[in-house]
Every structure is written in C-alpha cells, then in structure tokens.
Amino acid sequence: MRSRATLFIACALLGGCATSPSVSVLGAFFPDWLFCMVGAIVVTALIHAGLRAAGLLRHPGRLTLPVVYSALTMTLALVGWLIFFQN
C-alpha cells in the first residue's frame, strides 16, 4: 500500500514537468512567471501613483502599504499568468 501511495505522489508531482513554460526572447528562453511578475510590479507602481495623485494615501499605516502592495502584486501576477499564458 505504501509503494502505491509513493508511486501516485511521484506521478502527480512529475505531471507538471511535461512542458517548459517559457518564452523565447531573442533566442534566450525566460520563464512565463518572470514576465508576469515584471508586469505586475509595473501595474502596481502605476496604481500607487494614481492613488497618490488622487490624494487617497494621506496617512497609511507603517505595515499597511507593504502588505497591501505585496498582495496586489501577487494577485496581478497570477491574473496576468492566467490570462496570457494558458496551456
């Protein structure tokens, strides 16, 4: 029973290794998540600039901005990956 469970877990983990999620840029291959993270950081910076210009960031807490912007960046990266890099 233990060997079957080990075999099942190994097959499940190796199932993600079928294709390499990468993009060719001038002959070099870069992972998809790298493009998503860079795009998410840029969009988060634009959102921050828009909120600051609108005057909505008057008195944020010390820990509020890092937590909120980290979560926003991760959310934007995952949404971007789901939209642009579907298999």
Side-chain angles (χ1 to χ4, degrees):
M1 186 67 177
R2 184 179 171 120
S3 64
R4 286 186 184 181
T6 305
L7 181 63
F8 175 76
I9 291 172
C11 289
L13 292 176
L14 291 175
C17 299
T19 60
S20 174
S22 58
V23 176
S24 175
V25 178
L26 299 175
F29 288 95
F30 295 96
D32 295 346
W33 60 264
L34 184 66
F35 292 107
C36 294
M37 285 302 296
V38 170
I41 290 169
V42 169
V43 172
T44 301
L46 292 174
I47 289 172
H48 174 72
L51 290 174
R52 187 169 295 276
L56 297 174
L57 295 177
R58 294 185 183 152
H59 300 292
R62 291 181 67 187
L63 294 176
T64 305
L65 290 181
V67 171
V68 169
Y69 286 133
S70 297
L72 180 62
T73 302
M74 183 58 75
T75 302
L76 290 171
L78 292 173
V79 168
W81 187 76
L82 286 173
I83 291 173
F84 296 113
F85 296 105
Q86 294 178 2
N87 288 355

